[in-house]
Structure formats: C-alpha cells, structure tokens
Amino acid sequence: RPGYKGKKEVLSKTKFIELITKNSEKTYNEFVDILNKNYTAAGGKPFTKGIIADRARAYDLSGTLSKKDIMKWKKLKKVVQNKKNID
C-alpha cells in the first residue's frame, strides 16, 4: 500500500474469511492471537474478540469459532455453586 510504514498488514475481507474458516476449531482467544501476530484491524488497532465477532457476523460467519472458553467458564461456575450449596 502506498505510504504504509507499519509492519503488519491490514486484514482484508477475503483473507479474514479464509483464516476464520481454516481455524474454525480455535477459540476466540486463540484466533485473536493468530491474527494479531501478522495483521491489524482498521486504523492499525489490534484485534479483539469483539472486533472478530462483529466481522464474523457481518460476513454471515457467526458460530464459526469454538466457544470452549465459555463452556469451561459455565462448568466452573456450576461447580462453585454446587460446592456452596453443599457447605
């Protein structure tokens, strides 16, 4: 790109779609790490889970990434609640 001096490339729509489908077994956090290694969001900002979720929704790819982190949290919360009920 003319005038671009950064080291990371801004992620295009086609590249985003390619990467998200190729990494569908990854969690949002893992995918954030993958993208932030080589790419930036618009304006040179790092990717966040929110940015990825918004882009996936915009490209009709919601639900492509795994939500393992959420399931782990729900299980942990349930265990803690059960422990409190026992005590």
Side-chain angles (χ1 to χ4, degrees), residues 36-73:
N36 282 328
K37 286 179 186 174
N38 299 313
Y39 302 98
T40 62
K45 296 177 184 174
F47 280 97
T48 62
K49 289 193 302 187
I51 291 171
I52 291 171
D54 290 345
R55 283 186 81 168
R57 194 175 311 109
Y59 305 148
D60 201 26
L61 294 168
S62 292
T64 303
L65 294 173
S66 172
K67 295 181 180 169
K68 292 179 203 169
D69 293 343
I70 294 170
M71 300 311 280
K72 285 180 187 175
W73 173 250

Side-chain angles (χ1 to χ4, degrees), residues 19-27 31 63-67:
L19 288 170
I20 197 169
T21 52
K22 188 166 65 169
N23 291 288
S24 61
E25 77 286 351
K26 304 285 186 199
T27 65
F31 194 59
T64 303
L65 294 173
S66 172
K67 295 181 180 169

Side-chain angles (χ1 to χ4, degrees), residues 27-38:
T27 65
Y28 278 93
N29 288 334
E30 292 168 335
F31 194 59
V32 166
D33 293 338
I34 290 168
L35 292 184
N36 282 328
K37 286 179 186 174
N38 299 313

